[in-house]
Amino acid sequence: MADYSMYHALGQGEQLDPNDPSRTSQPAPPQFQPPIAQNPYQQGVGYASPTPQGQQYYGNPPPPVGAPQDAGLASQMAGMSLGDGQHTARRKKKDRHVFHSVEAPAGSSQAYNGIPPAGTPATAFLNADPSLQVGGQFIGQPVAQSQFPAPVNAPYQPATPATPAEFAARNTQIDQGHAPAFVPASGGGQVSPEDIPSVPVSRDVPQQYYLSNVYPTFERHVPPPATVSFIAYDQGNSSPKFTRLTMNNIPANSEGLHSTGLPLGLMLQPLARLQPGEMEVPVLDFGDTGPPRCRRCRAYINPFMMFRSGGSKFVCNLCTYPNDTPSEYFCATTPQGIRVDRDQRPELSRGTVEFLVPKEYWTKEPTGLHWLFAIDVTQESYNKGFLEAFCEGILAALYTSGDGDETGENGEPKRRIPPGAKVGFVTYDKDIHFYNCNPALEQAQMMIMPDIEDPFVPLSDGLFVDPYESKAVIMSLLTRLPTLFADIKNPEPALLPTLTSCIAALEKTGGKIVCSLSALPTWGPGRLFMRDDGKYPGGEIDKKLFTTEHPAWKKTAEKMVAAGIGIDFFLAAPSGGYLDVATIGHVSSTTGGETFYYPNFVAGRDNAKLSLEIKHTVTRETGYQALMKVRCSNGLQISAYHGNFIQHTFGADLEIGVIDADKAVGVTFGYDGKLDSKLDAHFQSALLYTTASGQRRVRCCNVIASVSDNPRECMKFVDQDAVYTVFAKDAASKLASTSSTLKDIRLGLTEKTIDVLAGYRKNFSSQSHPPGQLVMPEKLKEFSMYMLGLIKSRAFKGGNETSDRRVHEMRMIRSMGAPELSLYLYPKMIPIHNLNPDDGFPDEQTGYLKVPPAIRTSFSRVEPGGVYLVDNGQQCLLWFHSQTSPNLLVDLFGEGKDSLNQLDPYSSSIPVLQTHLNAQVRNIIEFLKTMRGSKALTIQLARQGIDGAEYEFARMLIEDRNNEAQSYVDWLVHIHKGVQLELAGQRRKEGDDHNSLSSTFQGLRPQYW
């Protein structure tokens, strides 16, 4: 058994998780070894050109290790309990915490003003010299950390760096016991950024583990972090890719839940993409009788239903009603009550299954998905190059592919959309034009609909065709469209009449509309006006701008959902102008579609992104005419749904026009009784939909959670990704549907963060901690950072932001799943100027790409001469320091590109060159493409002091003070004050001053109150 002092400090002691089948009591095998980054100063791969006088390339020279630091080393060793051997005896489990002494004036608020108090190491603040920084979070510079802190002196450089084995042993435990993490947070003087939990480490360490291990859905109780790429093995509990519970162990009553401060919620992404290597979702056909269901609560058969009386009865796991087993489904049971054929029946052994359903589940005859492309051909669209880019995008989505796999098995062209699906084309300016693309024609026939007051469909057949039979007609139409409308130039689009006629075309079948728009639709019925002039008296934006006031648009959205139609919009704002996304996007968000918004579309730069996003829209798994229902155990009830759908009355099913792989719905639950801790709690979601190939199916996801009388147990099984995702969706719904202002929402998010941490400190903290420590539950260490990211997001942040962008991002948060939201709240930042030679290439042991560790998103981590790739799942920036080495630029972009000014600001990808660095960066970008939601990944250059995109880069440095909110350190200090006030019983919650007569302000009120 290795010494305890080998283990990493932040609560990552040896795992002793009673629920973990793979618990260890020896150092972990070396397969987890995190990659140790090469020292950036010893690059020597050809960037060591003679440095011109007075200029820095590639970071500063390393500080000399040795004499100057030896003086303080002995005292530091003593302080860190490394020098003597007194502290190596193994402690009892509850002592295994990290303590940081805090000697600071009580209640001091020094960290607020941004000026470091005396005695603070410079590294805690912005613009410090990062090359002097020593950090346990830099995987490349292992620092021996131990249980007791070093005195705050000069940065400590270890004289003997840890060997890779010691380092691996320190960082490898995934389930790191349940010891909480502590941050000294009261004085501001001693909070160093090194002490606070790091999101990049919390992602990279589990990622290393899951490269060589699968995730069994029944044995492990807490899923991996949302951004981790893992392979789930379905053992009867649904994979975390489809379902995530906020707590995998549920308190037995509402008081217990209230004491934790956490929501009881479920994140559902029913059509989520699977990774190569995962088992396909089984599709089961029970013929005309349909799948067996509970007669009382209508739950579908699932692995947790119990068979009794020799198999002739099955007991529902949700409502405990005993049902008769249908005769054709009968099978004998073993003496233990398990069916003999259990392993041959996927519905009894897999957590996620699909049932083909008979006619009584149909609303109309299912057909293949009908795609209708509605293309804006106004003057603005033509001038900007948006029309041409959109047509090219459709062609690329339907026919061409970058992989060169043009032909299928028997030499036929490879289908992008399934057999049975059809496409149609409509263009519009102030008239509507329909196209007959019948394969018998030489070229498409255009029919103009001038009557936009009461439009109808002038074609009976020929509007919807098989894209592969009519390939020649469609290709010639889309290549000719931009020139057709080059001279007509109508400036104003009539969008609502176009949507009305599209509904008429799709009414009988249902389907999906993909619509482009590049100017405010100011023509015809349903025309819109400039509501947002950018002037907001009182600082806060008017709530009316977040929703649509227009009755005709609301009615159109409801008509679409009723007909089983959904719509995706591609909006290119005219040079960042107003498009009224609140009204137009209302249609897509209500029908379950999506809005792709380009606030400043530039033809050369954004074509690749537009093309990839159209292709993704067309090729991702899509269902239409959907209904959704979530059922839960007796004792629980559903309290709210959050997402893009229509729900006519509270208990009714959710109606969704279209649903695709990237859409997620949040469900929160309340108690209507007490749960029995001897039984488990069960949840089942059922999505009834028609697939793109024209089959009517139900996708069933089953989740199970244990129940505990002691809420303290529940804190060990919290899934923090699900918690902040539920909070985010709740906040986005609140902003749209209640009278809360942005300020109320931000305040509410802060209060919720304080509630969770104060609840833990008050009710579940196992021992008394000094009041100067902020105690975080082990499973919620990074929760505060994600909540700060949410407050800084465009949807909720303070300060100026156009209403279009706010509404767009608010709806996006409401519909995105946990992996996409996690990246959106805390971007991935990868330094590419100091890559190891083997980074960005497949690992010999696992076969997976070796991705360099991400670093914290803070400017204090940026090295002079550094180049960083920052990706938040919506856009990806490549940031260059002004002193970037010319050799690096030549290696990355080719000969003749040896200074930042010579790069093309509109380039959206990296050229393919034969250099090592170029191949590494392209591979890393390809890997990042697999780890995102609906938005395409293209590169945007941000050169220091040259490009405007540098402002976006600054926004993405979430740990710094920006976006009208505090830095990470200041935020933790602020949260800690709230926790201390709560513990002292002095915290006033929002809303208290309205209902309490003895309010604090009573003495200030006028006498007539």
Side-chain angles (χ1 to χ4, degrees):
M1 164 70 203
D3 271 346
Y4 176 66
S5 58
M6 248 176 75
Y7 283 88
H8 202 280
L10 268 178
Q12 302 183 0
E14 184 190 13
Q15 87 183 16
L16 281 169
D17 179 358
N19 298 296
D20 189 353
S22 57
R23 58 182 171 190
T24 63
S25 51
Q26 64 210 22
Q31 66 196 29
F32 306 118
Q33 190 168 326
I36 298 186
Q38 179 177 338
N39 191 326
Y41 317 116
Q42 303 163 353
Q43 183 76 24
V45 187
Y47 302 138
S49 58
T51 309
Q53 194 60 36
Q55 218 176 356
Q56 294 172 300
Y57 288 148
Y58 264 170
N60 299 338
V65 178
Q69 295 179 340
D70 281 344
L73 201 58
S75 68
Q76 286 180 348
M77 290 292 244
M80 291 190 74
S81 77
L82 293 178
D84 56 355
Q86 304 296 314
H87 296 279
T88 52
R90 180 159 172 197
R91 293 171 179 72
K92 292 198 299 296
K93 183 169 182 197
K94 70 173 192 173
D95 290 342
R96 209 175 314 152
H97 299 322
V98 189
F99 291 105
H100 297 283
S101 54
V102 177
E103 303 105 14
S108 136
S109 61
Q110 288 171 309
Y112 269 102
N113 55 16
I115 299 165
T120 307
T123 49
F125 290 87
L126 272 185
N127 306 333
D129 180 357
S131 63
L132 299 173
Q133 190 132 6
V134 173
Q137 312 298 3
F138 270 140
I139 299 196
Q141 305 168 342
V143 176
Q145 291 193 358
S146 142
Q147 290 209 260
F148 299 99
V152 179
N153 289 334
Y156 161 60
Q157 289 274 28
T160 54
T163 67
E166 286 171 348
F167 186 67
R170 214 183 272 161
N171 241 352
T172 52
Q173 303 298 351
I174 307 299
D175 261 343
Q176 302 130 339
H178 300 296
F182 309 112
V183 175
S186 74
Q190 292 196 1
V191 183
S192 108
E194 296 309 330
D195 295 331
I196 53 187
S198 155
V199 174
V201 168
S202 77
R203 291 171 176 174
D204 286 344
V205 174
Q207 182 64 78
Q208 291 303 317
Y209 175 80
Y210 284 110
L211 288 181
S212 47
N213 292 271
V214 298
Y215 171 80
T217 60
F218 213 77
E219 295 164 22
R220 284 291 171 94
H221 289 286
V222 180
T227 49
V228 166
S229 160
F230 65 95
I231 288 182
Y233 173 58
D234 188 339
Q235 298 175 314
N237 200 15
S238 191
S239 155
K241 297 191 175 166
F242 303 114
T243 55
R244 274 178 179 266
L245 272 172
T246 54
M247 310 171 81
N248 295 283
N249 185 332
I250 296 174
N253 53 26
S254 54
E255 291 75 41
L257 181 66
H258 184 70
S259 69
T260 65
L262 294 167
L264 175 53
L266 176 64
M267 283 304 311
L268 287 168
Q269 197 169 337
L271 298 181
R273 274 195 308 277
L274 293 170
Q275 271 184 228
E278 291 185 313
M279 293 188 287
E280 291 292 317
V281 175
V283 180
L284 312 170
D285 188 356
F286 284 90
D288 289 343
T289 53
R293 299 179 67 176
C294 169
R295 291 193 33 208
R296 186 199 282 165
C297 70
R298 307 299 293 146
Y300 291 84
I301 187 85
N302 64 63
F304 306 111
M305 287 193 171
M306 306 287 289
F307 285 85
R308 296 246 176 94
S309 314
S312 60
K313 285 204 179 322
F314 65 93
V315 180
C316 175
N317 58 326
L318 298 174
C319 70
T320 66
Y321 179 76
N323 297 272
D324 293 331
T325 309
S327 54
E328 66 277 6
Y329 195 64
F330 176 80
C331 174
T333 57
T334 65
Q336 288 78 32
I338 296 165
R339 279 176 62 121
V340 180
D341 64 350
R342 180 191 171 98
D343 292 337
Q344 283 78 53
R345 289 202 170 267
E347 74 275 15
L348 298 179
S349 56
R350 300 277 293 273
T352 307
V353 293
E354 291 213 315
F355 300 112
L356 289 175
V357 289
K359 285 198 170 55
E360 59 259 32
Y361 291 81
W362 297 1
T363 41
K364 50 181 94 158
E365 179 82 27
T367 57
L369 183 54
H370 285 55
W371 293 89
L372 187 52
F373 294 94
I375 306 167
D376 172 8
V377 291
T378 53
Q379 183 178 353
E380 182 72 39
S381 179
Y382 174 77
N383 292 351
K384 245 192 320 206
F386 188 55
L387 171 58
E388 194 174 345
F390 194 70
C391 291
E392 281 169 9
I394 297 173
L395 281 172
L398 292 177
Y399 303 116
T400 54
S401 138
D403 317 334
D405 52 357
E406 287 307 293
T407 51
E409 284 99 48
N410 21 350
E412 293 172 3
K414 190 164 179 190
R415 297 189 72 97
R416 277 302 176 69
I417 61 177
K422 298 188 168 178
V423 298
F425 298 91
V426 171
T427 58
Y428 68 99
D429 43 23
K430 63 176 207 267
D431 301 325
I432 307 165
H433 325 104
F434 290 85
Y435 296 88
N436 181 350
C437 296
N438 195 318
L441 298 170
E442 279 189 18
Q443 60 179 44
Q445 290 175 345
M446 174 179 179
M447 299 194 183
I448 298 180
M449 160 72 57
D451 175 13
I452 57 172
E453 294 297 326
D454 185 16
F456 61 93
V457 183
L459 283 168
S460 58
D461 57 351
L463 176 60
F464 289 105
V465 291
D466 182 298
Y468 300 98
E469 287 173 11
S470 305
K471 182 172 178 179
V473 180
I474 291 173
M475 286 185 83
S476 81
L477 169 68
L478 289 174
T479 41
R480 280 186 14 246
L481 268 183
T483 48
L484 265 178
F485 291 94
D487 307 326
I488 300 178
K489 299 212 170 136
N490 285 320
E492 300 177 280
L495 180 57
L496 193 68
T498 307
L499 296 185
T500 312
S501 52
C502 290
I503 294 173
L506 287 168
E507 211 159 20
K508 290 192 175 56
T509 57
K512 179 147 189 188
I513 305 167
V514 178
C515 178
S516 73
L517 177 73
S518 59
L520 192 65
T522 49
W523 189 265
R527 57 182 169 272
L528 301 174
F529 304 96
M530 272 294 285
R531 293 197 294 163
D532 182 5
D533 53 3
K535 300 188 186 80
Y536 313 123
E540 285 276 316
I541 213 166
D542 186 0
K543 279 280 294 192
K544 285 209 289 286
L545 294 175
F546 292 152
T547 51
T548 174
E549 302 284 303
H550 206 299
W553 286 82
K554 285 185 171 172
K555 210 156 132 199
T556 302
E558 283 169 24
K559 253 166 80 187
M560 276 192 182
V561 175
I565 304 168
I567 183 164
D568 282 356
F569 280 111
F570 287 82
L571 306 176
S575 58
Y578 181 61
L579 262 186
D580 202 350
V581 173
T583 301
I584 296 169
H586 172 78
V587 181
S588 63
S589 75
T590 309
T591 59
E594 186 165 7
T595 307
F596 295 87
Y597 180 60
Y598 305 89
N600 185 14
F601 185 83
V602 176
R605 180 190 68 202
D606 297 328
N607 281 13
K609 188 171 170 65
L610 176 70
S611 179
L612 286 168
E613 284 175 358
I614 297 173
K615 175 179 161 186
H616 180 74
T617 293
V618 173
T619 53
R620 66 185 167 190
E621 186 169 358
T622 305
Y624 67 105
Q625 280 180 24
L627 291 172
M628 188 168 189
K629 176 95 173 157
V630 177
R631 297 177 173 88
C632 54
S633 288
N634 285 346
L636 293 172
Q637 60 186 13
I638 289 165
S639 56
Y641 287 101
H642 305 290
N644 289 354
F645 49 77
I646 281 185
Q647 190 180 21
H648 288 299
T649 56
F650 177 66
D653 296 355
L654 308 184
E655 294 182 29
I656 308 171
V658 290
I659 185 163
D660 57 62
D662 300 310
K663 297 294 170 294
V665 173
V667 193
T668 50
F669 301 94
Y671 289 81
D672 63 356
K674 187 174 185 300
L675 296 172
D676 183 352
S677 58
K678 295 186 195 66
L679 303 173
D680 291 327
H682 297 267
F683 304 88
Q684 182 182 67
S685 78
L687 174 78
L688 172 67
Y689 72 107
T690 308
T691 61
S693 56
Q695 287 184 320
R696 195 81 173 142
R697 295 183 186 173
V698 171
R699 178 163 292 202
C700 238
C701 300
N702 301 289
V703 196
I704 183 171
S706 46
V707 178
S708 172
D709 285 325
N710 176 7
R712 190 172 163 199
E713 282 299 302
C714 306
M715 296 304 287
K716 298 176 186 174
F717 302 101
V718 174
D719 177 358
Q720 72 179 359
D721 294 298
V723 173
Y724 63 73
T725 311
V726 167
F727 278 150
K729 287 185 183 301
D730 181 45
S733 302
K734 242 193 207 145
L735 193 55
S737 56
T738 64
S739 59
S740 309
T741 61
L742 279 165
K743 195 172 172 193
D744 297 341
I745 299 285
R746 287 195 297 274
L747 237 165
L749 290 171
T750 310
E751 297 282 331
K752 280 174 176 164
T753 313
I754 294 172
D755 282 344
V756 171
L757 296 180
Y760 181 76
R761 180 73 185 255
K762 201 159 53 177
N763 304 315
F764 312 120
S765 198
S766 53
Q767 57 198 106
S768 57
H769 300 294
Q773 282 177 346
L774 175 57
V775 185
M776 298 180 183
E778 171 65 28
K779 296 292 180 210
L780 291 168
K781 277 198 307 203
E782 295 79 29
F783 170 68
S784 311
M785 180 67 244
Y786 284 115
M787 292 299 270
L788 177 61
L790 194 55
I791 288 173
K792 288 184 173 188
S793 69
R794 272 216 167 84
F796 305 124
K797 75 188 217 22
N800 274 345
E801 197 63 65
T802 62
S803 63
D804 274 359
R805 295 201 78 163
R806 264 196 206 280
V807 173
H808 169 65
E809 307 232 343
M810 180 184 84
R811 289 194 176 127
M812 204 169 72
I813 288 174
R814 213 165 64 200
S815 72
M816 65 171 52
E820 200 176 348
L821 184 69
S822 180
L823 202 54
Y824 172 74
L825 297 182
Y826 194 99
K828 198 173 254 178
M829 178 156 149
I830 298 177
I832 58 170
H833 54 282
N834 55 4
L835 295 175
N836 279 347
D838 54 349
D839 283 342
F841 291 108
D843 188 345
E844 285 167 11
Q845 271 98 33
T846 61
Y848 287 101
L849 193 77
K850 213 165 166 204
V851 182
I855 61 171
R856 290 183 175 225
T857 52
S858 164
F859 199 75
S860 61
R861 305 284 169 171
V862 171
E863 299 179 358
V867 181
Y868 296 89
L869 197 63
V870 191
D871 174 30
N872 72 348
Q874 309 300 313
Q875 65 180 145
C876 183
L877 298 177
L878 190 56
W879 184 83
F880 295 89
H881 190 273
S882 56
Q883 298 167 345
T884 303
S885 155
N887 294 354
L888 184 145
L889 293 175
V890 169
D891 274 5
L892 203 51
F893 291 100
E895 291 300 325
K897 300 273 198 301
D898 59 358
S899 81
L900 291 179
N901 290 326
Q902 289 169 330
L903 300 182
D904 174 10
Y906 289 159
S907 58
S908 61
S909 60
I910 287 177
V912 179
L913 303 175
Q914 295 300 312
T915 63
H916 190 79
L917 179 74
N918 181 277
Q920 286 179 301
V921 175
R922 279 187 293 110
N923 287 347
I924 290 168
I925 290 172
E926 284 303 316
F927 171 76
L928 291 177
K929 282 182 183 173
T930 64
M931 300 291 299
R932 48 204 292 121
S934 58
K935 306 294 186 291
L937 187 146
T938 53
I939 299 296
Q940 187 172 350
L941 300 189
R943 298 163 294 177
Q944 190 178 23
I946 301 176
D947 293 317
E950 218 196 340
Y951 289 110
E952 279 300 308
F953 174 71
R955 272 200 70 240
M956 285 188 188
L957 299 177
I958 296 287
E959 292 198 15
D960 294 338
R961 195 164 110 199
N962 53 21
N963 293 311
E964 317 288 325
Q966 298 151 306
S967 69
Y968 187 15
V969 174
D970 293 352
W971 164 250
L972 287 179
V973 171
H974 175 63
I975 292 295
H976 185 236
K977 288 207 175 103
V979 171
Q980 283 177 315
L981 286 173
E982 174 70 32
L983 293 177
Q986 296 170 344
R987 174 163 159 243
R988 288 181 55 244
K989 293 202 179 180
E990 49 174 334
D992 283 1
D993 49 329
H994 300 308
N995 50 24
S996 117
L997 278 172
S998 56
S999 167
T1000 336
F1001 295 113
Q1002 199 172 8
L1004 306 175
R1005 289 179 175 167
Q1007 288 167 357
Y1008 52 73
W1009 277 24

